[in-house]
mmCIF file with all atom_site columns, all heavy atoms in Angstrom:
data_model
loop_
_atom_site.group_PDB
_atom_site.id
_atom_site.type_symbol
_atom_site.label_atom_id
_atom_site.label_alt_id
_atom_site.label_comp_id
_atom_site.label_asym_id
_atom_site.label_entity_id
_atom_site.label_seq_id
_atom_site.pdbx_PDB_ins_code
_atom_site.Cartn_x
_atom_site.Cartn_y
_atom_site.Cartn_z
_atom_site.occupancy
_atom_site.B_iso_or_equiv
_atom_site.pdbx_formal_charge
_atom_site.auth_seq_id
_atom_site.auth_comp_id
_atom_site.auth_asym_id
_atom_site.auth_atom_id
_atom_site.pdbx_PDB_model_num
ATOM 1   N N   . PRO A 1 60 ? 22.789 -33.974 0.444   1.00 0.00 ? 1255 PRO A N   1
ATOM 2   C CA  . PRO A 1 60 ? 22.262 -32.763 -0.209  1.00 0.00 ? 1255 PRO A CA  1
ATOM 3   C C   . PRO A 1 60 ? 22.883 -31.510 0.380   1.00 0.00 ? 1255 PRO A C   1
ATOM 4   O O   . PRO A 1 60 ? 23.216 -31.457 1.571   1.00 0.00 ? 1255 PRO A O   1
ATOM 5   C CB  . PRO A 1 60 ? 20.757 -32.835 0.074   1.00 0.00 ? 1255 PRO A CB  1
ATOM 6   C CG  . PRO A 1 60 ? 20.640 -33.680 1.308   1.00 0.00 ? 1255 PRO A CG  1
ATOM 7   C CD  . PRO A 1 60 ? 21.759 -34.671 1.245   1.00 0.00 ? 1255 PRO A CD  1
ATOM 8   N N   . LEU A 1 61 ? 23.029 -30.498 -0.454  1.00 0.00 ? 1256 LEU A N   1
ATOM 9   C CA  . LEU A 1 61 ? 23.598 -29.217 -0.020  1.00 0.00 ? 1256 LEU A CA  1
ATOM 10  C C   . LEU A 1 61 ? 22.802 -28.093 -0.669  1.00 0.00 ? 1256 LEU A C   1
ATOM 11  O O   . LEU A 1 61 ? 22.595 -28.099 -1.884  1.00 0.00 ? 1256 LEU A O   1
ATOM 12  C CB  . LEU A 1 61 ? 25.068 -29.112 -0.401  1.00 0.00 ? 1256 LEU A CB  1
ATOM 13  C CG  . LEU A 1 61 ? 25.782 -27.823 0.029   1.00 0.00 ? 1256 LEU A CG  1
ATOM 14  C CD1 . LEU A 1 61 ? 25.825 -27.725 1.546   1.00 0.00 ? 1256 LEU A CD1 1
ATOM 15  C CD2 . LEU A 1 61 ? 27.195 -27.766 -0.543  1.00 0.00 ? 1256 LEU A CD2 1
ATOM 16  N N   . THR A 1 62 ? 22.355 -27.162 0.161   1.00 0.00 ? 1257 THR A N   1
ATOM 17  C CA  . THR A 1 62 ? 21.585 -26.012 -0.312  1.00 0.00 ? 1257 THR A CA  1
ATOM 18  C C   . THR A 1 62 ? 22.283 -24.733 0.113   1.00 0.00 ? 1257 THR A C   1
ATOM 19  O O   . THR A 1 62 ? 22.622 -24.574 1.292   1.00 0.00 ? 1257 THR A O   1
ATOM 20  C CB  . THR A 1 62 ? 20.154 -26.037 0.247   1.00 0.00 ? 1257 THR A CB  1
ATOM 21  O OG1 . THR A 1 62 ? 19.495 -27.235 -0.178  1.00 0.00 ? 1257 THR A OG1 1
ATOM 22  C CG2 . THR A 1 62 ? 19.362 -24.833 -0.248  1.00 0.00 ? 1257 THR A CG2 1
ATOM 23  N N   . VAL A 1 63 ? 22.470 -23.842 -0.831  1.00 0.00 ? 1258 VAL A N   1
ATOM 24  C CA  . VAL A 1 63 ? 23.074 -22.542 -0.557  1.00 0.00 ? 1258 VAL A CA  1
ATOM 25  C C   . VAL A 1 63 ? 21.978 -21.490 -0.691  1.00 0.00 ? 1258 VAL A C   1
ATOM 26  O O   . VAL A 1 63 ? 21.253 -21.464 -1.698  1.00 0.00 ? 1258 VAL A O   1
ATOM 27  C CB  . VAL A 1 63 ? 24.233 -22.235 -1.523  1.00 0.00 ? 1258 VAL A CB  1
ATOM 28  C CG1 . VAL A 1 63 ? 24.839 -20.875 -1.221  1.00 0.00 ? 1258 VAL A CG1 1
ATOM 29  C CG2 . VAL A 1 63 ? 25.298 -23.321 -1.431  1.00 0.00 ? 1258 VAL A CG2 1
ATOM 30  N N   . SER A 1 64 ? 21.828 -20.658 0.323   1.00 0.00 ? 1259 SER A N   1
ATOM 31  C CA  . SER A 1 64 ? 20.773 -19.656 0.322   1.00 0.00 ? 1259 SER A CA  1
ATOM 32  C C   . SER A 1 64 ? 21.295 -18.350 0.901   1.00 0.00 ? 1259 SER A C   1
ATOM 33  O O   . SER A 1 64 ? 22.356 -18.305 1.528   1.00 0.00 ? 1259 SER A O   1
ATOM 34  C CB  . SER A 1 64 ? 19.554 -20.138 1.135   1.00 0.00 ? 1259 SER A CB  1
ATOM 35  O OG  . SER A 1 64 ? 19.928 -20.384 2.475   1.00 0.00 ? 1259 SER A OG  1
ATOM 36  N N   . VAL A 1 65 ? 20.523 -17.297 0.681   1.00 0.00 ? 1260 VAL A N   1
ATOM 37  C CA  . VAL A 1 65 ? 20.841 -15.985 1.235   1.00 0.00 ? 1260 VAL A CA  1
ATOM 38  C C   . VAL A 1 65 ? 19.644 -15.533 2.056   1.00 0.00 ? 1260 VAL A C   1
ATOM 39  O O   . VAL A 1 65 ? 18.488 -15.644 1.629   1.00 0.00 ? 1260 VAL A O   1
ATOM 40  C CB  . VAL A 1 65 ? 21.169 -14.969 0.119   1.00 0.00 ? 1260 VAL A CB  1
ATOM 41  C CG1 . VAL A 1 65 ? 20.046 -14.878 -0.893  1.00 0.00 ? 1260 VAL A CG1 1
ATOM 42  C CG2 . VAL A 1 65 ? 21.480 -13.611 0.713   1.00 0.00 ? 1260 VAL A CG2 1
ATOM 43  N N   . LEU A 1 66 ? 19.907 -15.062 3.272   1.00 0.00 ? 1261 LEU A N   1
ATOM 44  C CA  . LEU A 1 66 ? 18.851 -14.631 4.196   1.00 0.00 ? 1261 LEU A CA  1
ATOM 45  C C   . LEU A 1 66 ? 18.893 -13.111 4.321   1.00 0.00 ? 1261 LEU A C   1
ATOM 46  O O   . LEU A 1 66 ? 19.948 -12.538 4.589   1.00 0.00 ? 1261 LEU A O   1
ATOM 47  C CB  . LEU A 1 66 ? 19.047 -15.285 5.561   1.00 0.00 ? 1261 LEU A CB  1
ATOM 48  C CG  . LEU A 1 66 ? 18.032 -14.911 6.647   1.00 0.00 ? 1261 LEU A CG  1
ATOM 49  C CD1 . LEU A 1 66 ? 16.644 -15.391 6.263   1.00 0.00 ? 1261 LEU A CD1 1
ATOM 50  C CD2 . LEU A 1 66 ? 18.447 -15.499 7.994   1.00 0.00 ? 1261 LEU A CD2 1
ATOM 51  N N   . GLU A 1 67 ? 17.735 -12.487 4.103   1.00 0.00 ? 1262 GLU A N   1
ATOM 52  C CA  . GLU A 1 67 ? 17.687 -11.021 4.171   1.00 0.00 ? 1262 GLU A CA  1
ATOM 53  C C   . GLU A 1 67 ? 16.290 -10.583 4.612   1.00 0.00 ? 1262 GLU A C   1
ATOM 54  O O   . GLU A 1 67 ? 15.304 -11.307 4.421   1.00 0.00 ? 1262 GLU A O   1
ATOM 55  C CB  . GLU A 1 67 ? 18.017 -10.422 2.803   1.00 0.00 ? 1262 GLU A CB  1
ATOM 56  C CG  . GLU A 1 67 ? 18.333 -8.939  2.834   1.00 0.00 ? 1262 GLU A CG  1
ATOM 57  C CD  . GLU A 1 67 ? 19.494 -8.601  3.739   1.00 0.00 ? 1262 GLU A CD  1
ATOM 58  O OE1 . GLU A 1 67 ? 20.651 -8.881  3.382   1.00 0.00 ? 1262 GLU A OE1 1
ATOM 59  O OE2 . GLU A 1 67 ? 19.224 -8.051  4.830   1.00 0.00 ? 1262 GLU A OE2 1
ATOM 60  N N   . GLU A 1 68 ? 16.226 -9.396  5.197   1.00 0.00 ? 1263 GLU A N   1
ATOM 61  C CA  . GLU A 1 68 ? 14.950 -8.837  5.624   1.00 0.00 ? 1263 GLU A CA  1
ATOM 62  C C   . GLU A 1 68 ? 14.224 -8.188  4.444   1.00 0.00 ? 1263 GLU A C   1
ATOM 63  O O   . GLU A 1 68 ? 14.828 -7.814  3.440   1.00 0.00 ? 1263 GLU A O   1
ATOM 64  C CB  . GLU A 1 68 ? 15.156 -7.796  6.726   1.00 0.00 ? 1263 GLU A CB  1
ATOM 65  C CG  . GLU A 1 68 ? 15.636 -8.363  8.049   1.00 0.00 ? 1263 GLU A CG  1
ATOM 66  C CD  . GLU A 1 68 ? 15.710 -7.299  9.116   1.00 0.00 ? 1263 GLU A CD  1
ATOM 67  O OE1 . GLU A 1 68 ? 15.305 -6.154  8.828   1.00 0.00 ? 1263 GLU A OE1 1
ATOM 68  O OE2 . GLU A 1 68 ? 16.169 -7.611  10.224  1.00 0.00 ? 1263 GLU A OE2 1
ATOM 69  N N   . GLY A 1 69 ? 12.928 -8.059  4.609   1.00 0.00 ? 1264 GLY A N   1
ATOM 70  C CA  . GLY A 1 69 ? 12.108 -7.392  3.597   1.00 0.00 ? 1264 GLY A CA  1
ATOM 71  C C   . GLY A 1 69 ? 10.768 -7.032  4.198   1.00 0.00 ? 1264 GLY A C   1
ATOM 72  O O   . GLY A 1 69 ? 10.585 -7.034  5.421   1.00 0.00 ? 1264 GLY A O   1
ATOM 73  N N   . ARG A 1 70 ? 9.819  -6.733  3.356   1.00 0.00 ? 1265 ARG A N   1
ATOM 74  C CA  . ARG A 1 70 ? 8.482  -6.380  3.812   1.00 0.00 ? 1265 ARG A CA  1
ATOM 75  C C   . ARG A 1 70 ? 7.472  -6.790  2.767   1.00 0.00 ? 1265 ARG A C   1
ATOM 76  O O   . ARG A 1 70 ? 7.801  -6.960  1.572   1.00 0.00 ? 1265 ARG A O   1
ATOM 77  C CB  . ARG A 1 70 ? 8.374  -4.877  4.073   1.00 0.00 ? 1265 ARG A CB  1
ATOM 78  C CG  . ARG A 1 70 ? 8.641  -4.019  2.861   1.00 0.00 ? 1265 ARG A CG  1
ATOM 79  C CD  . ARG A 1 70 ? 8.573  -2.541  3.205   1.00 0.00 ? 1265 ARG A CD  1
ATOM 80  N NE  . ARG A 1 70 ? 8.818  -1.707  2.029   1.00 0.00 ? 1265 ARG A NE  1
ATOM 81  C CZ  . ARG A 1 70 ? 8.794  -0.381  2.050   1.00 0.00 ? 1265 ARG A CZ  1
ATOM 82  N NH1 . ARG A 1 70 ? 8.529  0.251   3.173   1.00 0.00 ? 1265 ARG A NH1 1
ATOM 83  N NH2 . ARG A 1 70 ? 9.025  0.313   0.949   1.00 0.00 ? 1265 ARG A NH2 1
ATOM 84  N N   . THR A 1 71 ? 6.254  -6.978  3.210   1.00 0.00 ? 1266 THR A N   1
ATOM 85  C CA  . THR A 1 71 ? 5.185  -7.309  2.286   1.00 0.00 ? 1266 THR A CA  1
ATOM 86  C C   . THR A 1 71 ? 4.673  -6.031  1.623   1.00 0.00 ? 1266 THR A C   1
ATOM 87  O O   . THR A 1 71 ? 4.830  -4.928  2.146   1.00 0.00 ? 1266 THR A O   1
ATOM 88  C CB  . THR A 1 71 ? 4.025  -7.996  3.016   1.00 0.00 ? 1266 THR A CB  1
ATOM 89  O OG1 . THR A 1 71 ? 3.511  -7.106  4.020   1.00 0.00 ? 1266 THR A OG1 1
ATOM 90  C CG2 . THR A 1 71 ? 4.496  -9.277  3.680   1.00 0.00 ? 1266 THR A CG2 1
ATOM 91  N N   . ARG A 1 72 ? 4.068  -6.209  0.483   1.00 0.00 ? 1267 ARG A N   1
ATOM 92  C CA  . ARG A 1 72 ? 3.443  -5.076  -0.206  1.00 0.00 ? 1267 ARG A CA  1
ATOM 93  C C   . ARG A 1 72 ? 2.303  -5.596  -1.062  1.00 0.00 ? 1267 ARG A C   1
ATOM 94  O O   . ARG A 1 72 ? 2.351  -6.720  -1.579  1.00 0.00 ? 1267 ARG A O   1
ATOM 95  C CB  . ARG A 1 72 ? 4.451  -4.316  -1.084  1.00 0.00 ? 1267 ARG A CB  1
ATOM 96  C CG  . ARG A 1 72 ? 5.001  -5.123  -2.234  1.00 0.00 ? 1267 ARG A CG  1
ATOM 97  C CD  . ARG A 1 72 ? 6.018  -4.312  -3.033  1.00 0.00 ? 1267 ARG A CD  1
ATOM 98  N NE  . ARG A 1 72 ? 5.421  -3.185  -3.688  1.00 0.00 ? 1267 ARG A NE  1
ATOM 99  C CZ  . ARG A 1 72 ? 4.871  -3.230  -4.896  1.00 0.00 ? 1267 ARG A CZ  1
ATOM 100 N NH1 . ARG A 1 72 ? 4.851  -4.376  -5.578  1.00 0.00 ? 1267 ARG A NH1 1
ATOM 101 N NH2 . ARG A 1 72 ? 4.364  -2.152  -5.442  1.00 0.00 ? 1267 ARG A NH2 1
ATOM 102 N N   . ILE A 1 73 ? 1.273  -4.806  -1.184  1.00 0.00 ? 1268 ILE A N   1
ATOM 103 C CA  . ILE A 1 73 ? 0.164  -5.150  -2.078  1.00 0.00 ? 1268 ILE A CA  1
ATOM 104 C C   . ILE A 1 73 ? 0.624  -4.936  -3.506  1.00 0.00 ? 1268 ILE A C   1
ATOM 105 O O   . ILE A 1 73 ? 1.126  -3.872  -3.858  1.00 0.00 ? 1268 ILE A O   1
ATOM 106 C CB  . ILE A 1 73 ? -1.076 -4.312  -1.739  1.00 0.00 ? 1268 ILE A CB  1
ATOM 107 C CG1 . ILE A 1 73 ? -1.592 -4.688  -0.341  1.00 0.00 ? 1268 ILE A CG1 1
ATOM 108 C CG2 . ILE A 1 73 ? -2.164 -4.513  -2.781  1.00 0.00 ? 1268 ILE A CG2 1
ATOM 109 C CD1 . ILE A 1 73 ? -2.777 -3.874  0.104   1.00 0.00 ? 1268 ILE A CD1 1
ATOM 110 N N   . ARG A 1 74 ? 0.449  -5.961  -4.316  1.00 0.00 ? 1269 ARG A N   1
ATOM 111 C CA  . ARG A 1 74 ? 0.972  -5.909  -5.680  1.00 0.00 ? 1269 ARG A CA  1
ATOM 112 C C   . ARG A 1 74 ? 0.306  -4.805  -6.504  1.00 0.00 ? 1269 ARG A C   1
ATOM 113 O O   . ARG A 1 74 ? 0.966  -4.062  -7.219  1.00 0.00 ? 1269 ARG A O   1
ATOM 114 C CB  . ARG A 1 74 ? 0.782  -7.274  -6.348  1.00 0.00 ? 1269 ARG A CB  1
ATOM 115 C CG  . ARG A 1 74 ? 1.401  -7.370  -7.737  1.00 0.00 ? 1269 ARG A CG  1
ATOM 116 C CD  . ARG A 1 74 ? 1.176  -8.741  -8.338  1.00 0.00 ? 1269 ARG A CD  1
ATOM 117 N NE  . ARG A 1 74 ? 1.991  -9.748  -7.667  1.00 0.00 ? 1269 ARG A NE  1
ATOM 118 C CZ  . ARG A 1 74 ? 1.521  -10.627 -6.776  1.00 0.00 ? 1269 ARG A CZ  1
ATOM 119 N NH1 . ARG A 1 74 ? 0.248  -10.599 -6.429  1.00 0.00 ? 1269 ARG A NH1 1
ATOM 120 N NH2 . ARG A 1 74 ? 2.305  -11.520 -6.218  1.00 0.00 ? 1269 ARG A NH2 1
ATOM 121 N N   . HIS A 1 75 ? -1.009 -4.684  -6.414  1.00 0.00 ? 1270 HIS A N   1
ATOM 122 C CA  . HIS A 1 75 ? -1.744 -3.689  -7.196  1.00 0.00 ? 1270 HIS A CA  1
ATOM 123 C C   . HIS A 1 75 ? -2.366 -2.683  -6.230  1.00 0.00 ? 1270 HIS A C   1
ATOM 124 O O   . HIS A 1 75 ? -3.365 -2.970  -5.566  1.00 0.00 ? 1270 HIS A O   1
ATOM 125 C CB  . HIS A 1 75 ? -2.830 -4.351  -8.043  1.00 0.00 ? 1270 HIS A CB  1
ATOM 126 C CG  . HIS A 1 75 ? -2.297 -5.400  -8.973  1.00 0.00 ? 1270 HIS A CG  1
ATOM 127 N ND1 . HIS A 1 75 ? -1.544 -5.093  -10.082 1.00 0.00 ? 1270 HIS A ND1 1
ATOM 128 C CD2 . HIS A 1 75 ? -2.380 -6.743  -8.933  1.00 0.00 ? 1270 HIS A CD2 1
ATOM 129 C CE1 . HIS A 1 75 ? -1.202 -6.204  -10.688 1.00 0.00 ? 1270 HIS A CE1 1
ATOM 130 N NE2 . HIS A 1 75 ? -1.684 -7.215  -10.014 1.00 0.00 ? 1270 HIS A NE2 1
ATOM 131 N N   . ARG A 1 76 ? -1.749 -1.522  -6.153  1.00 0.00 ? 1271 ARG A N   1
ATOM 132 C CA  . ARG A 1 76 ? -2.211 -0.452  -5.281  1.00 0.00 ? 1271 ARG A CA  1
ATOM 133 C C   . ARG A 1 76 ? -2.881 0.623   -6.139  1.00 0.00 ? 1271 ARG A C   1
ATOM 134 O O   . ARG A 1 76 ? -2.484 0.857   -7.286  1.00 0.00 ? 1271 ARG A O   1
ATOM 135 C CB  . ARG A 1 76 ? -1.049 0.151   -4.500  1.00 0.00 ? 1271 ARG A CB  1
ATOM 136 C CG  . ARG A 1 76 ? -0.139 -0.891  -3.887  1.00 0.00 ? 1271 ARG A CG  1
ATOM 137 C CD  . ARG A 1 76 ? 1.137  -0.279  -3.368  1.00 0.00 ? 1271 ARG A CD  1
ATOM 138 N NE  . ARG A 1 76 ? 0.917  0.539   -2.204  1.00 0.00 ? 1271 ARG A NE  1
ATOM 139 C CZ  . ARG A 1 76 ? 0.952  0.077   -0.963  1.00 0.00 ? 1271 ARG A CZ  1
ATOM 140 N NH1 . ARG A 1 76 ? 1.222  -1.194  -0.742  1.00 0.00 ? 1271 ARG A NH1 1
ATOM 141 N NH2 . ARG A 1 76 ? 0.740  0.874   0.060   1.00 0.00 ? 1271 ARG A NH2 1
ATOM 142 N N   . TYR A 1 77 ? -3.849 1.304   -5.566  1.00 0.00 ? 1272 TYR A N   1
ATOM 143 C CA  . TYR A 1 77 ? -4.583 2.334   -6.303  1.00 0.00 ? 1272 TYR A CA  1
ATOM 144 C C   . TYR A 1 77 ? -4.566 3.625   -5.499  1.00 0.00 ? 1272 TYR A C   1
ATOM 145 O O   . TYR A 1 77 ? -4.963 3.647   -4.322  1.00 0.00 ? 1272 TYR A O   1
ATOM 146 C CB  . TYR A 1 77 ? -6.030 1.897   -6.555  1.00 0.00 ? 1272 TYR A CB  1
ATOM 147 C CG  . TYR A 1 77 ? -6.131 0.642   -7.386  1.00 0.00 ? 1272 TYR A CG  1
ATOM 148 C CD1 . TYR A 1 77 ? -6.152 -0.606  -6.774  1.00 0.00 ? 1272 TYR A CD1 1
ATOM 149 C CD2 . TYR A 1 77 ? -6.190 0.703   -8.768  1.00 0.00 ? 1272 TYR A CD2 1
ATOM 150 C CE1 . TYR A 1 77 ? -6.240 -1.764  -7.529  1.00 0.00 ? 1272 TYR A CE1 1
ATOM 151 C CE2 . TYR A 1 77 ? -6.279 -0.449  -9.536  1.00 0.00 ? 1272 TYR A CE2 1
ATOM 152 C CZ  . TYR A 1 77 ? -6.302 -1.679  -8.906  1.00 0.00 ? 1272 TYR A CZ  1
ATOM 153 O OH  . TYR A 1 77 ? -6.382 -2.829  -9.653  1.00 0.00 ? 1272 TYR A OH  1
ATOM 154 N N   . MET A 1 78 ? -4.089 4.672   -6.133  1.00 0.00 ? 1273 MET A N   1
ATOM 155 C CA  . MET A 1 78 ? -4.107 6.003   -5.534  1.00 0.00 ? 1273 MET A CA  1
ATOM 156 C C   . MET A 1 78 ? -5.354 6.726   -6.040  1.00 0.00 ? 1273 MET A C   1
ATOM 157 O O   . MET A 1 78 ? -5.480 6.986   -7.257  1.00 0.00 ? 1273 MET A O   1
ATOM 158 C CB  . MET A 1 78 ? -2.846 6.785   -5.893  1.00 0.00 ? 1273 MET A CB  1
ATOM 159 C CG  . MET A 1 78 ? -2.731 8.107   -5.162  1.00 0.00 ? 1273 MET A CG  1
ATOM 160 S SD  . MET A 1 78 ? -2.533 7.909   -3.381  1.00 0.00 ? 1273 MET A SD  1
ATOM 161 C CE  . MET A 1 78 ? -0.884 7.190   -3.331  1.00 0.00 ? 1273 MET A CE  1
#
Side-chain angles (χ1 to χ4, degrees):
L1256 181 64
T1257 300
V1258 180
S1259 60
V1260 55
L1261 179 64
E1262 194 58 74
E1263 292 185 4
R1265 60 182 181 179
T1266 60
R1267 65 182 295 272
I1268 294 178
R1269 185 180 289 104
H1270 303 289
R1271 314 168 70 89
Y1272 299 90
M1273 187 65 69

